[in-house]
Amino acid sequence: MPPFAQQGLNADINVTPMIDVLLVLLVVFILSMQLRSIFPVNVPPPTTARRPAHSSPQVVLELKADGSYAINGASVAPSGLAARLHELTDGGNRKLIFVRAAPKRPYGEVVRAVDIAKGAGWELIGYMP
């Protein structure tokens, strides 16, 4: 009779692989907590009691289907786009602008408009559908 037939069946659950998986997950979670402080995150600044009342809360640069530009619904000539965007930064205090392009507008024109906005002082660009 072979030696393995003498032992019989073993009905115990082998927990060693489960403990290995648990230890790997523990190490992954510990390392992810350490790496959280390394990655930069854009967090809005804390709200202050005083806010400028004259400026609108957001600026939307719109690229219309007919080839024209609009800022917050007001039409702007392509030649005066950079100057108007620079005015709206409030001396560098405002950093976020939203860009909305018509579906048929070429991608290159959207990139060119974003470059103009960055050149005018806007640092954060949000894209709207």
Side-chain angles (χ1 to χ4, degrees):
M1 195 184 257
F4 61 86
Q6 296 172 354
Q7 293 178 344
L9 294 176
N10 185 5
D12 292 336
I13 297 174
N14 188 3
V15 295
T16 305
M18 287 188 274
I19 291 174
D20 291 343
V21 170
L22 179 68
L23 290 175
V24 168
L25 287 175
L26 182 66
V27 169
V28 167
F29 287 131
I30 288 173
L31 289 177
S32 69
M33 293 302 290
Q34 295 289 331
L35 292 177
R36 253 182 45 190
S37 63
I38 295 174
F39 298 124
V41 178
N42 287 331
V43 179
T47 58
T48 58
R50 58 184 181 101
R51 290 192 64 143
H54 66 283
S55 63
S56 66
Q58 63 187 6
V59 176
V60 178
L61 172 60
E62 192 173 351
L63 286 80
K64 296 185 177 183
D66 61 356
S68 63
Y69 297 94
I71 298 176
N72 287 347
S75 294
V76 178
S79 59
L81 183 63
R84 181 67 181 132
L85 286 172
H86 184 70
E87 289 174 12
L88 290 173
T89 61
D90 287 340
N93 292 332
R94 297 171 75 182
K95 308 266 186 232
L96 174 64
I97 187 170
F98 293 99
V99 177
R100 178 187 300 148
K104 300 292 182 186
R105 199 74 186 253
Y107 182 71
E109 291 180 11
V110 177
V111 171
R112 194 172 309 116
V114 169
D115 286 342
I116 291 171
K118 284 193 175 253
W122 297 95
E123 294 179 8
L124 300 172
I125 309 294
Y127 296 96
M128 298 175 67

